[in-house]
Amino acid sequence: MNLETFKWDVDADGIAHAIFDVPGRSMNTLTAKAIADIVAITNEVATNDEIKGLVISSGKPSGFCAGADLGEMNQSAGGSGKPAAEMSEAELKAAQFERGFILNKTLRELETCGKPVACALNGLALGGGLEVALACHYRVAANDNPKLQFGLPEAKIGLLPGAGGTQRLPRLIGVQAALPLILQGESFKADQALSMGVVGELVPSSETVAKAKEWVKANPNAKAPWDEKGFKMPGGQIHRSPGAGQVQSMANAMLIAKTYGNYPAQTNILSCVYEGQQVPIDAALRIETRYFIKTQQRPEAKAMIRSLFLSMQELSKGANRPAGHPKTEFSKIAVIGAGLMGAGIAYVQAKAGIPTVLVDVSKENAEKGKDYSRRIVEKDISRGKTTQEKGDALLERITTTDSYEDVKGADLVIEAVFENEELKAKITEMAEAVLADDAVMGSNTSTLPITGLAKASKRPENFIGIHFFSPVERMGLVEIISGKETSEATLAKAIDYVLAIRKTPISVNDFRGFYTSRCFGTYTQEGMHMLSEGIKPAIIENVGRQSGMPMGPLEVSDSVGLDTALKIGRASAAATGADIQKDTRMQFLAWLVEDQGRVGRKAGKGFYDYNEKGKPSGLWPDLNSRLDVKVDECPPELKKELTNRLLVRQAVEVARCFAEGVITDARDGDIGSILAWGFAPYTGGCCSYIDLIWGVDKFVEEADRLAAKYGERFAVPDMLREMAAKGESFYSRFPPAGSEAKAAA
């Protein structure tokens, strides 16, 4: 055999050992070459009489296998042999099935080769990696690797397990136990795997292969449980067991309640499990492959794989970092302003191992800011997430002060004070007075233009916006904003910083509101438009959530602060010369804030009432007293219209940002929209929503229809019309930086 991704040997007892070890990679994935090797290994084991059994293990210390190579999968989905344009529909479907069934077919052949097969698992086995292990007759896992995890995470990126996972796991542990794991894609540890019966025993890492070989020698006639005569599904089959039938019904209800039908993968997983467990395993695997291909070809799957896996992975490694600049290692960072944002920034820096100086107007205030970190550490210790020693070390890295002398020697300063230009300018001058010439000055601002703030700097080329989201320790995105004079070297340092604190950076150019704040506001604004049209508040909120957004637009407004929204609205009207007295939305907001004192979640009352824990207890009952409710029912056609208004409005603003040069990389656009303001994840983000869910030409048509009916806020930029005419997408017009990425796009 000529294997490229496996090492191979056969011992004196005739036990073959296949060691999965993809060259040049730190983790094994199921590439086309790896699958070809598995085909060859299966054939060798089945046909070579000298081989008495097989043990599969990994040559990587990081684990067994992380699953399919999704980059390769996205590029080759549906491809086979002669061009699709030359094939009939029947030929195309047959070719797609044949391609999609290769691994499923091979693993089934391995499972029924007549010889015992065991798998030694030293670390993680996810997705296709776990499916390979499940096709073995026995599994031994390490008990001394805290990072070991098993799971079928495909549903998280719009796919379903396509190499037997939806069929073998339910047959092994029962439908009731398997369904949540497959539908939610959650991973589980070694001890859980043992208790469920996913693995047969736990031993030290150094003994996994030996134990697997020992089992193979002792079980020459091994079979999978489902190949034994009289096999019964643990917990019973759904169509025969009333209890199992209830599981199916409840799963359907819970699925709709959680996904609102936006995620085809979960729906197809349910069908796959339900249909597959009613037939023998061979037929079930063919059913799974058909559902896998059907799911893989959905635009949601393509969008989610591209954004939530590929783009996220690339940006989290600094793919948008300017080339040609040395990496910066941070020995000291100062945070000025110990309020909620500054305290959160100090915590994530200290957690990442960076010595941090937390500055405020008094030592007492700075200590209050450090208390934020103390509370998180205490909670983590109580929950077993960290140790006292590690918690103490984290807190030791935060030095509190009221003196700018302690800022000396910092590689980077982040001011995180109130959104006041004069205050920020004063802090910039005071900080730069003690900083080295190559130090970077960063401003954590959500709206104030960086070019304007940089006027207070002696070195505007070293000045940059570093926009965090609240709560800092939980939000994974940081928006980096370059002003007109910001240098590439400064941008590179800022990206190095974000990567150092283990967050995902997106890079944008200067504009009031930048990218995220500007686009995010359109969602709440559209909700207010609907409110002013007389649409019942509950309908607006329900449709908002059902469209895929994490909250309804009115609840989001509460979270931001209705007083803040009123202040911004009045400032905007003053800047544009608009007559605020004729703006019914602003008048309603003024009544709510100034007459009723309902300023939002922070006061426990806004559009919603809130309990003592700050959770919404329901829309304010008296809300309708001021509203002329004209629409109090929501038939399907209205739901579709409102959904389109909420999502298209956001996407139009994103397109305007690209047209105006605020953002230049489609990956930044997609990841920013999902991580910053929660744009419906099943779409892959705003750019993919336009590209894949609609298609640019159809999106322009819909936006034009909405603009004619509701106003110019839906008008698309000329750039988008040009893209539609040329057949371009965001990923072809605004591809990732670098020649290889551009070629792939």
Side-chain angles (χ1 to χ4, degrees):
M1 287 189 299
N2 182 22
L3 304 176
E4 294 187 48
T5 62
F6 281 80
K7 297 172 184 175
W8 175 262
D9 68 67
V10 181
D11 67 16
D13 295 317
I15 308 301
H17 185 194
I19 306 170
F20 196 6
D21 197 358
V22 180
R25 296 196 182 185
S26 60
M27 173 56 71
N28 292 321
T29 58
L30 290 170
T31 62
K33 289 181 179 178
I35 293 172
D37 282 355
I38 294 172
V39 172
I41 290 168
T42 299
N43 183 63
E44 179 70 11
V45 172
T47 60
N48 189 336
D49 292 338
E50 294 183 3
I51 294 177
K52 306 305 180 185
L54 172 67
V55 169
I56 304 174
S57 70
S58 169
K60 308 290 187 189
S62 52
F64 179 64
C65 176
D69 188 304
L70 292 175
E72 191 176 90
M73 179 189 293
N74 236 24
Q75 291 174 10
S76 62
S80 179
K82 71 180 184 179
E86 299 177 13
M87 303 170 74
S88 67
E89 184 176 349
E91 286 178 323
L92 181 60
K93 287 185 177 180
Q96 289 170 341
F97 180 85
E98 182 181 353
R99 184 186 185 92
F101 193 56
I102 288 174
L103 185 56
N104 234 339
K105 177 185 176 184
T106 300
L107 293 179
R108 181 58 179 156
E109 289 172 351
L110 183 65
E111 189 173 52
T112 57
C113 70
K115 300 172 184 179
V117 182
C119 191
L121 301 163
N122 63 323
L124 65 80
L126 299 175
L130 180 59
E131 289 176 295
V132 170
L134 290 174
C136 299
H137 302 119
Y138 193 70
R139 290 156 294 280
V140 181
N143 62 5
D144 54 0
N145 182 354
K147 294 184 179 180
L148 185 149
Q149 57 178 317
F150 303 130
L152 298 170
E154 288 87 347
K156 291 184 175 181
I157 52 169
L159 290 174
L160 59 79
T166 67
Q167 303 308 316
R168 289 191 177 91
L169 192 61
R171 282 168 168 79
L172 193 63
I173 67 174
V175 172
Q176 187 169 359
L179 261 182
L181 297 175
I182 305 172
L183 285 170
Q184 298 171 26
E186 297 299 329
S187 61
F188 49 96
K189 297 290 187 179
D191 56 343
Q192 295 170 287
L194 181 66
S195 66
M196 289 189 292
V198 174
V199 299
E201 61 181 312
L202 302 178
V203 300
S205 299
S206 59
E207 299 177 20
T208 55
V209 172
K211 284 290 183 180
K213 283 190 173 186
E214 184 180 306
W215 184 91
V216 166
K217 292 176 187 178
N219 294 272
N221 300 312
K223 288 183 180 180
W226 37 90
D227 287 323
E228 297 285 357
K229 187 176 180 179
F231 168 74
K232 292 184 179 180
M233 182 87 68
Q237 291 176 297
I238 290 174
H239 66 300
R240 293 179 181 170
S241 166
Q246 289 177 6
V247 172
Q248 176 73 11
S249 299
M250 290 174 62
N252 268 311
M254 291 172 64
L255 186 64
I256 294 300
K258 286 189 174 183
T259 70
Y260 301 109
N262 291 325
Y263 294 84
Q266 276 79 356
T267 301
N268 289 344
I269 285 169
L270 267 185
S271 298
C272 205
V273 172
Y274 179 75
E275 294 175 25
Q277 56 85 54
Q278 298 184 52
V279 297
I281 185 74
D282 291 288
L285 293 174
R286 298 180 72 86
I287 288 171
E288 181 188 74
T289 295
R290 292 190 183 98
Y291 274 110
F292 176 80
I293 293 169
K294 178 182 178 181
T295 306
Q296 182 191 21
Q297 293 177 341
R298 290 282 305 191
E300 294 91 345
K302 294 176 182 177
M304 290 175 73
I305 291 171
R306 183 169 70 182
S307 294
L308 299 181
F309 185 82
L310 299 175
S311 293
M312 188 83 78
Q313 192 175 69
E314 291 163 3
L315 294 181
S316 295
K317 293 179 180 179
N320 51 5
R321 183 185 188 276
H325 302 279
K327 182 181 178 181
T328 301
E329 300 290 345
F330 296 92
S331 59
K332 178 180 177 180
I333 297 176
V335 179
I336 300 176
L340 186 63
M341 292 299 289
I345 295 168
Y347 169 76
V348 297
Q349 289 175 184
K351 186 178 182 182
I354 301 172
T356 296
V357 177
L358 184 58
V359 188
D360 211 291
V361 293
S362 69
K363 173 80 170 176
E364 182 184 9
N365 280 2
E367 277 294 316
K368 287 180 181 178
K370 187 172 179 177
D371 285 342
Y372 187 86
S373 294
R374 292 188 179 102
R375 288 192 293 271
I376 296 175
V377 167
E378 288 170 4
K379 184 181 292 186
D380 284 351
I381 292 172
S382 69
R383 294 179 176 179
K385 291 183 177 181
T386 191
T387 64
Q388 185 71 52
E389 183 181 8
K390 289 180 180 178
D392 290 344
L394 186 156
L395 294 172
E396 277 294 315
R397 295 187 198 106
I398 303 175
T399 301
T400 58
T401 185
D402 59 1
S403 172
Y404 279 75
E405 285 298 309
D406 293 319
V407 175
K408 280 183 178 178
D411 307 297
L412 167 68
V413 172
I414 299 175
E415 63 81 1
V417 299
F418 299 114
E419 296 285 83
N420 180 289
E421 290 188 36
E422 291 183 4
L423 176 59
K424 287 179 181 289
K426 180 181 177 182
I427 286 171
T428 297
E429 291 171 2
M430 293 171 68
E432 287 189 345
V434 297
L435 290 176
D437 289 345
D438 60 348
V440 171
M441 185 73 200
S443 176
N444 174 52
T445 175
S446 59
T447 58
L448 298 176
I450 296 303
T451 303
L453 295 178
K455 290 178 180 178
S457 172
K458 294 183 293 185
R459 298 180 291 274
E461 68 277 7
N462 290 9
F463 195 96
I464 196 164
I466 303 177
H467 177 205
F468 286 86
F469 300 86
S470 184
V472 176
E473 69 276 8
R474 294 209 300 267
M475 298 295 282
L477 187 80
V478 178
E479 182 181 31
I480 300 174
I481 309 102
S482 295
K484 286 184 179 180
E485 296 187 58
T486 303
S487 70
E488 273 197 354
T490 297
L491 174 58
K493 286 181 181 178
I495 290 176
D496 287 341
Y497 163 69
V498 175
L499 299 180
I501 60 172
R502 303 177 192 123
K503 294 189 181 293
T504 301
I506 63 168
S507 176
V508 307
N509 294 316
D510 202 15
F511 192 93
R512 181 170 287 275
F514 317 130
Y515 171 61
T516 58
S517 297
R518 170 181 171 178
C519 297
F520 166 64
T522 62
Y523 178 59
T524 56
Q525 291 161 18
E526 196 58 30
M528 290 296 294
H529 277 290
M530 292 175 180
L531 201 65
S532 68
E533 293 165 16
I535 298 172
K536 192 174 183 178
I539 292 176
I540 298 170
E541 294 298 89
N542 287 335
V543 172
R545 287 187 287 268
Q546 290 169 16
S547 74
M549 299 296 291
M551 300 179 188
L554 304 183
E555 187 181 352
V556 172
S557 296
D558 272 0
S559 298
V560 172
L562 302 184
D563 53 340
T564 301
L566 180 62
K567 181 179 178 181
I568 292 172
R570 284 173 170 167
S572 178
T576 59
D579 186 352
I580 201 167
Q581 297 301 319
K582 294 181 179 179
D583 189 330
T584 56
R585 292 173 300 135
M586 285 296 103
Q587 292 306 306
F588 179 81
L589 204 55
W591 171 78
L592 200 60
V593 171
E594 297 173 344
D595 295 351
Q596 302 300 314
R598 304 186 70 87
V599 299
R601 188 187 298 266
K602 59 190 174 187
K605 55 183 182 178
F607 285 113
Y608 284 79
D609 286 320
Y610 295 86
N611 61 28
E612 62 279 359
K613 294 182 178 180
K615 303 291 184 182
S617 56
L619 283 160
W620 182 37
D622 292 342
L623 194 59
N624 293 344
S625 66
R626 178 80 178 191
L627 299 170
D628 180 13
V629 176
K630 301 174 183 176
V631 179
D632 60 1
E633 293 184 0
C634 190
E637 59 273 16
L638 178 60
K639 179 189 171 186
K640 181 180 179 182
E641 179 79 350
L642 297 181
T643 297
N644 286 357
R645 284 178 62 180
L646 290 171
L647 298 185
V648 169
R649 177 65 189 93
Q650 295 175 69
V652 164
E653 200 64 32
V654 169
R656 290 173 182 166
C657 285
F658 277 93
E660 295 165 15
V662 176
I663 192 165
T664 59
D665 186 325
R667 297 172 304 180
D668 289 338
D670 272 342
I671 298 304
S673 65
I674 293 173
L675 294 188
W677 72 88
F679 188 81
Y682 70 89
T683 68
C686 283
C687 297
S688 290
Y689 175 68
I690 297 173
D691 280 357
L692 297 174
I693 306 299
W694 280 97
V696 178
D697 54 345
K698 297 295 184 184
F699 179 85
V700 170
E701 287 180 16
E702 177 65 6
D704 283 347
R705 183 188 71 81
L706 293 173
K709 189 172 182 179
Y710 300 106
E712 284 298 303
R713 63 185 183 276
F714 288 100
V716 301
D718 291 340
M719 176 206 73
L720 207 57
R721 297 189 190 282
E722 181 184 320
M723 287 170 60
K726 292 181 177 180
E728 293 179 331
S729 68
F730 276 93
Y731 277 78
S732 64
R733 183 154 180 147
F734 301 98
S739 58
E740 288 185 11
K742 288 177 184 282

